[in-house]
Amino acid sequence: MTLWLMAGLLFTPLAWAVLTLMVDFRKGRLVTWLGMAVQVLVSLGLWAAVASDGGFLYLLGGWQAPLGIELRVDGLAVTFVLLTALVAAACGWHASIYLDPGKPWHRYFWPLFWFLWAGLNAVWLGGDLFNLYVGLELISLAAVGLVALGGQADALRAAIRYLMAALLGSLAYLLGVALIYGQFGTLSLAGVTELMNSGDAQSGQTFPLVLMLLGLALKTALFPMHGWLPPAHGIAKSPVSALLSALVVKASFYIAARLWLDLGGELGGFALAQLIGVLGSLAIIWGSWLAFRQTKLKQVVAYSSVAQIGYLFLLFPLTWGVTEAISLQAQQGITLQVISHALAKAAMFLAAGNLIMSVGSNRVDALAGVSRFLPFSLFSFGLAGVSLMGLPPTGGFAAKWLLLQASLASGQWWWLAVLLAGGLLSAAYVFRVYRASFIESTDTDQFYHPSRSLEVIPMILALMSLGLGLVAEPVLSVMSLPFEGGGQ
Amino acid sequence: MTPSLLYAFAGVALCGIGLFGFLRLQHLLRKLMAFNLIGSGVFLVMVGLAQRNGQPDPVPQALVLTGIVVAIAATALAVVLIRRYYHLSGQTTLAEPAAKSARPKARSVNREGAPE
């Protein structure tokens, strides 16, 4: 049973990618609808299987590491696989209506979309450092292609800048992998951890870990290396921006987090953990402030991503040198933050796309009067904003509450100020968009009405992010399921 | 100091040169060449550093093959993007154009507005 599920999960996205490469936009759309249904069902099946039987290690084709590909299917991985399936299916559905079939280059959306999905699944499940690199590169190249789909010079400039940053980040990561392999002679993350704990390797140097974290932080757009993100996410088509913000930046963060949790205890240090935390805090403050200052709607949402990514990096100080219980609390808070931000930000970008489509301009002040014409999309935007602010009962609230408790329990009270300031600042930029849209005196009467399904999709995502706070307990319990040893 | 360790040091030197070029050069094709230089340096480190009792280790060589494929794919994508960008804007660097040309206002429904 799990064999079929794994095959369905990993093989079919590549198959859909190749299939859609050969057909035009409309046929590609049909293939993708079928594929998305299969992926969502398979992901749900795998999640249910892991929730009932626990995680397992899966050797692709029965080959042992290091030549074979080793997949670790644990609770955290399947949670992210399921999240990817839900968010990507929503974005794909939105794109199938939103993108103009008349433009010949739009047909390349589908193969890129599927390659991206395949890369994401590979990263969530990857158990060895080199395959994580391959997965990361697959994601980056597909994501750059999707940004370039806009077609104009500005879109290409953003895409090239993104590509350069992503390539540099990957190489830094790969150099770290080379050094780790040179030292330990194994690529498996579990193997490296084991060697390090058994103590027969010479005392670990921090440099490879710092190098890998640096590369991954560049790819995750941690302050001050965030310069490539807002242009790329702002200029891409809305479904693409939603995919990039919700899922793509999370992939490199996920690898950084796994590295830190496995190796950070030995190789990291107090100063390194605090430094990363401080950079994350600066990202929260500076990103929110810039989001408040932007004149274009999608730039507001893109800078808000920079800020929300900052929260994720609080994982590093909150899990170093603390007790097991506090570390677990911080990990749960960060995971909830990843999930709720993915749902909320996807909803926000899709809703922003609808609003822009309706008023025909991407400026915030052009939204005047739209509240009467497009209340549904505006409401989704606001619901997603509520989750970003961290008001109860949203997923964002549950995440920040856990982080707050972890920082108090570990005596690192200074993160508290950051958490509070971040919430207030995000309220400021969300309300600014609202204020613009409720201005009644406007000379425009021409509003384009997007189709109903375009408006429903962001609403579903926003409601899911809202409801996450209520179902946080079962989600968290599946997430922390450990392995149960080779259950192929 | 074994010969293979020499390869690793050469790789580190290549990485350094490449990184310098990547950060300092403005021309996109030169940047791309610098990226390839860093890549070659990383591959040399990978092959040179991994030794099993003086014998070369086959695993990193297999990995480097995969790495080369990835680097070629990335380079090809970058070249296509740079070429298209040059055709559209006439520029070979990422600098923002000083004077923005007036864009035609008409846009179809699906176009999300040019950035300004």
Side-chain angles (χ1 to χ4, degrees):
Chain A
M1 180 63 183
T2 44
L3 187 74
W4 284 103
L5 287 176
M6 292 303 290
L9 193 68
L10 296 167
F11 171 72
T12 54
L14 294 173
W16 305 125
V18 176
L19 269 180
T20 48
L21 198 58
M22 293 186 285
V23 296
D24 65 4
F25 185 83
R26 288 196 170 80
K27 289 207 187 76
R29 180 161 65 184
L30 286 180
V31 172
T32 301
W33 278 338
L34 177 65
M36 289 192 307
V38 171
Q39 281 292 308
V40 170
L41 288 179
V42 165
S43 309
L44 271 175
L46 194 67
W47 189 80
V50 170
S52 63
D53 302 339
F56 52 92
L57 271 181
Y58 182 83
L59 302 175
L60 211 59
W63 289 82
Q64 296 285 338
L67 284 181
I69 296 177
E70 188 186 81
L71 300 175
R72 43 191 273 181
V73 192
D74 57 3
L76 187 63
V78 288
T79 306
F80 281 172
V81 164
L82 186 61
L83 173 74
T84 306
L86 294 177
V87 174
C91 295
W93 185 16
H94 192 268
S96 68
I97 310 163
Y98 185 84
L99 292 180
D100 178 7
K103 299 221 176 80
W105 62 86
H106 276 170
R107 76 191 184 91
Y108 294 113
F109 178 82
W110 301 120
L112 290 169
F113 172 76
W114 282 112
F115 278 124
L116 183 69
W117 199 330
L120 286 167
N121 278 347
V123 166
W124 306 139
L125 298 170
D128 73 271
L129 296 169
F130 189 76
N131 283 311
L132 287 176
Y133 164 74
V134 175
L136 262 184
E137 282 296 56
L138 186 57
I139 293 173
S140 296
L141 297 186
V144 168
L146 285 171
V147 172
L149 214 62
Q152 306 141 4
D154 302 297
L156 287 173
R157 182 184 296 118
I160 294 171
R161 179 170 290 165
Y162 179 18
L163 179 64
M164 292 295 173
L167 289 179
L168 192 62
S170 306
L171 284 181
Y173 173 77
L174 190 61
L175 188 57
V177 173
L179 294 177
I180 291 262
Y181 187 82
Q183 192 179 359
F184 295 103
T186 176
L187 285 165
S188 147
L189 200 49
V192 174
T193 319
E194 206 172 291
L195 278 176
M196 202 173 293
N197 291 340
S198 66
D200 37 314
Q202 66 265 53
S203 65
Q205 293 107 7
T206 314
F207 184 63
L209 181 69
V210 171
L211 207 55
M212 286 199 273
L213 289 182
L214 193 67
L216 293 168
L218 173 60
K219 286 178 88 104
T220 319
L222 173 63
F223 179 90
M225 297 177 283
H226 63 276
W228 59 267
L229 186 144
H233 288 199
I235 206 160
K237 301 273 174 196
S238 287
V240 175
S241 315
L243 278 172
L244 295 185
S245 260
L247 301 172
V248 170
V249 288
K250 306 295 162 41
S252 43
F253 172 76
Y254 176 81
I255 298 178
R258 282 225 140 147
L259 284 175
W260 181 257
L261 294 176
D262 283 351
L263 312 177
E266 297 284 327
L267 296 181
F270 179 74
L272 181 63
Q274 292 293 321
L275 174 71
I276 297 175
V278 166
L279 290 181
S281 316
L282 289 174
I284 297 172
I285 306 292
W286 185 237
S288 304
W289 172 245
L290 285 181
F292 182 67
R293 304 271 304 160
Q294 296 304 307
T295 52
K296 287 173 221 146
L297 180 59
K298 281 183 71 179
Q299 293 285 336
V300 173
V301 189
Y303 274 103
S304 141
S305 283
V306 173
Q308 295 289 321
I309 287 164
Y311 284 109
L312 303 181
F313 283 88
L314 294 183
L315 173 76
F316 292 74
L318 290 180
T319 53
W320 195 86
V322 296
T323 62
E324 199 73 23
I326 298 174
S327 168
L328 187 68
Q329 210 168 33
Q331 289 173 39
Q332 290 180 331
I334 294 294
T335 316
L336 272 187
Q337 167 71 9
V338 168
I339 299 174
S340 73
H341 176 244
L343 294 169
K345 197 44 71 74
M348 215 169 195
F349 262 125
L350 295 181
N354 291 345
L355 293 173
I356 291 172
M357 196 194 228
S358 173
V359 298
S361 160
N362 56 7
R363 299 181 63 82
V364 173
D365 45 21
L367 288 176
V370 82
S371 60
R372 269 181 301 162
F373 291 87
L374 224 54
F376 212 56
S377 280
L378 200 64
F379 186 54
S380 320
F381 191 93
L383 276 186
V386 166
S387 184
L388 292 187
M389 288 177 224
L391 297 182
T394 61
F397 168 74
K400 271 149 215 168
W401 182 247
L402 283 169
L403 289 180
L404 213 119
Q405 284 184 319
S407 40
L408 276 182
S410 61
Q412 305 180 36
W413 49 266
W414 45 92
W415 306 124
L416 225 76
V418 177
L419 287 168
L420 292 177
L424 284 177
L425 280 167
S426 44
Y429 60 73
V430 171
F431 281 125
R432 181 166 157 262
V433 172
Y434 258 67
R435 203 182 63 178
S437 60
F438 276 103
I439 293 174
E440 290 285 336
S441 57
T442 167
D443 40 355
T444 354
D445 276 341
Q446 293 277 318
F447 288 100
Y448 171 81
H449 274 271
S451 78
R452 189 54 75 187
S453 26
L454 281 186
E455 294 211 84
V456 170
I457 298 163
M459 187 55 125
I460 295 174
L461 287 171
L463 285 177
M464 278 163 71
S465 128
L466 195 72
L468 182 66
L470 304 174
V471 296
E473 204 59 40
V475 172
L476 286 174
S477 68
V478 172
M479 233 163 54
S480 53
L481 281 178
F483 294 108
E484 284 203 352
Q488 281 194 52
Chain B
M1 185 74 174
T2 59
S4 46
L5 208 56
L6 201 64
Y7 285 128
F9 278 118
V12 171
L14 275 182
C15 281
I17 300 171
L19 186 64
F20 179 77
F22 194 88
L23 296 179
R24 286 300 302 275
L25 295 174
Q26 294 298 312
H27 195 292
L28 287 171
L29 278 180
R30 285 169 196 260
K31 249 189 191 335
L32 191 61
M33 300 293 286
F35 156 72
N36 275 282
L37 206 58
I38 308 177
S40 308
V42 173
F43 297 151
L44 263 181
V45 171
M46 206 168 213
V47 173
L49 207 60
Q51 297 290 315
R52 291 251 173 91
N53 314 320
Q55 295 289 316
D57 187 344
V59 172
Q61 315 217 353
L63 298 183
V64 165
L65 278 181
T66 315
I68 290 174
V69 173
V70 172
I72 288 177
T75 308
L77 175 66
V79 168
V80 169
L81 288 180
I82 292 171
R83 206 180 85 132
R84 183 84 190 130
Y85 174 64
Y86 177 68
H87 277 300
L88 285 176
S89 69
Q91 281 187 302
T92 55
T93 66
L94 283 179
E96 301 274 338
K100 297 233 166 97
S101 55
R103 247 168 244 285
K105 196 70 189 155
R107 53 165 77 93
S108 61
V109 163
N110 255 336
R111 177 85 71 73
E112 278 175 19
E116 187 61 70

